Amino acid sequence: MKIAVDIGHNCQGDRGASGVKNEDVLTKELGGKLISLLQREGHQVVEVLPKYAHSVNDSLNQRVSKANAARCDLFVSLHFNAFNKRAYGSEIYALSAYKVAQKTLGEICKLGFFNRGVKRRNFYVLVRTKMPAILIESCFCDSIRDMDLYDSNSMAIAIKNGILGKSGVYKPKERIFRL
């Protein structure tokens, strides 16, 4: 399978959320690990992160154009939410890849994250890709609870398993939630 991996934001003109940790740093680390895992499983990965963009729309257009030109089978966009420092959990947005989104969210929630559901929104990358696409909000980067729980290795494995239709048993990271 040929999979487009969109390491959310991380581009001049398109910066991510900040909180306890910075979304750009988190997505870069998670994306690198996910790409490596997918390649080890024998899948072709197309990284669609632009080097530079004049605006958020330019950044999004470049990502979608790269994936469409490469004729990928699936588009996976990695993100981290931020809201009010109290919200927590994981959610995935999908229009055409609802079953993949459900499976992936199920695997992520096995790590201990609250299931915020699979949602439908007309996000740019979901509407303009020519292949099924999901946008993963891994957890909240402004939530101490989520950041205490988050481990990039476990998250990458859970996402990989979800998009490939596999199931895993995960050892939760030893944690103490701070409120």
Side-chain angles (χ1 to χ4, degrees):
M1 180 165 38
K2 189 186 287 188
I3 303 166
V5 174
D6 174 20
I7 297 172
H9 307 288
N10 272 288
C11 175
Q12 188 163 348
D14 185 1
R15 294 290 179 212
S18 61
V20 177
K21 295 188 179 177
N22 187 301
E23 182 179 17
D24 281 354
V25 173
L26 293 168
T27 55
K28 191 79 167 170
E29 179 183 36
L30 177 60
K33 291 177 180 185
L34 178 61
I35 288 168
S36 179
L37 288 169
L38 291 168
Q39 288 172 332
R40 278 193 242 159
E41 294 268 345
H43 298 279
Q44 184 178 354
V45 178
V46 177
E47 186 179 335
V48 297
L49 176 64
K51 292 187 188 317
Y52 177 82
H54 299 286
S55 66
V56 172
N57 273 350
D58 180 34
S59 174
L60 295 170
N61 183 55
Q62 287 184 55
R63 295 162 199 265
V64 167
S65 295
K66 285 181 184 181
N68 287 341
R71 296 185 176 164
C72 294
D73 301 305
L74 179 67
F75 185 94
V76 177
S77 188
L78 302 173
H79 294 271
F80 287 79
N81 251 331
F83 181 58
N84 63 2
K85 299 182 183 178
R86 293 189 194 133
Y88 57 91
S90 301
E91 59 195 12
I92 298 182
Y93 293 89
L95 298 175
S96 59
Y98 196 80
K99 287 182 182 181
V100 173
Q102 283 182 310
K103 181 70 175 162
T104 303
L105 186 58
E107 292 300 307
I108 291 171
C109 291
K110 287 180 183 179
L111 299 172
F113 292 97
F114 176 72
N115 187 333
R116 297 175 58 89
V118 175
K119 301 173 180 182
R120 296 177 59 84
R121 292 271 162 65
N122 289 331
F123 289 136
Y124 193 102
V125 297
L126 300 179
V127 172
R128 292 193 167 87
T129 49
K130 295 178 182 175
M131 72 283 310
I134 61 175
L135 186 148
I136 301 169
E137 293 285 4
S138 303
C139 61
F140 282 77
C141 68
D142 68 341
S143 163
I144 292 171
R145 176 183 176 157
D146 278 0
M147 289 294 96
D148 280 349
L149 180 58
Y150 177 74
D151 173 72
S152 61
N153 292 318
S154 299
M155 183 66 74
I157 293 166
I159 292 171
K160 183 251 325 168
N161 284 345
I163 63 179
L164 297 181
K166 298 181 176 187
S167 186
V169 176
Y170 309 99
K171 288 184 181 179
K173 175 177 140 177
E174 190 151 321
R175 60 197 173 272
I176 298 172
F177 291 121
R178 295 178 289 173
L179 298 176

